Amino acid sequence: MLFLGHFLIFLQSNDIFKKKRINEIDSGGRMIKYLFSIFIVSFLLMMCSKNNSDVVSMEEFQSEILSENTFVLDVRTEAEFYGPLGHIDGAMLIPIDELSLRINELEDMKDKDIYVVCRSGNRSNVGKNILRENSFNAINVDGGMLAWKPLDNE
């Protein structure tokens, strides 16, 4: 009988141990799920609210930003600048291949936004990156001159 009593106590304590261990594992699993959820939410918030202040569409640029005080840097070739797509009045031309060598010409613009334009938005993105690496506040005009809609006075 004594043996049976010890056996029942052993089973109960073993059962309690199992429940405690399961609860620890379960709470650890919940903690991992909780941390993973926080990570996912943080990641999504970061991606959704990513500050795209370095890119603007040509449509937004034309309708909301472009004015006589806007500084526009065109990084196309001279032939493209004067070619069929035309250019934005007042834009400064520095071809992308020359930008690194001629960056000192923009020194007076360090405290202004520089809107970088090309044919489609690819070279202007490279130009924007070059300027940002040199402490300029550059914004890529995505879509480039292919997306340009002639203004009423053009």
Side-chain angles (χ1 to χ4, degrees):
M1 206 49 167
L2 188 58
F3 174 74
L4 186 57
H6 285 284
F7 183 70
L8 287 175
I9 291 172
F10 171 76
L11 285 178
Q12 285 177 339
S13 66
N14 196 20
D15 192 40
I16 290 170
F17 176 75
K18 282 181 182 177
K19 286 180 183 175
K20 184 177 178 185
R21 181 73 180 131
I22 288 172
N23 286 340
E24 287 173 0
I25 291 170
D26 191 37
S27 66
R30 276 188 257 143
M31 180 61 81
I32 290 171
K33 286 180 186 176
Y34 177 75
L35 291 173
F36 185 71
S37 297
I38 289 174
F39 172 76
I40 293 295
V41 168
S42 299
F43 178 76
L44 290 174
L45 284 173
M46 184 176 67
M47 293 309 290
C48 291
S49 66
K50 184 181 174 202
N51 186 359
N52 279 335
S53 64
D54 65 345
V55 179
V56 65
S57 70
M58 178 57 87
E59 181 180 339
E60 183 181 354
F61 175 72
Q62 275 191 277
S63 64
E64 299 173 23
I65 299 168
L66 185 60
S67 72
E68 61 186 49
N69 297 323
T70 306
F71 185 78
V72 180
L73 175 67
D74 197 316
V75 294
R76 296 176 295 160
T77 64
E78 189 173 350
E80 289 175 297
F81 188 78
Y82 293 110
L85 290 177
H87 60 269
I88 298 170
D89 284 341
M92 179 178 195
L93 174 64
I94 301 179
I96 192 67
D97 295 339
E98 301 172 18
L99 184 57
S100 293
L101 299 173
R102 295 177 55 190
I103 204 157
N104 60 330
E105 294 176 35
L106 300 169
E107 202 59 40
D108 292 342
M109 298 298 145
K110 278 241 175 163
D111 59 344
K112 285 191 77 173
D113 290 338
I114 299 174
Y115 291 90
V116 189
V117 177
C118 69
R119 182 180 157 275
S120 64
N122 293 323
R123 286 176 286 177
S124 56
N125 190 50
V126 172
K128 180 243 342 169
N129 291 337
I130 291 169
L131 291 170
R132 285 192 170 245
E133 288 167 5
N134 286 278
S135 302
F136 289 90
N137 188 30
I139 299 109
N140 178 28
V141 181
D142 194 37
M145 293 305 291
L146 288 174
W148 176 260
K149 305 277 190 272
L151 302 173
D152 293 336
N153 58 355
E154 291 184 310

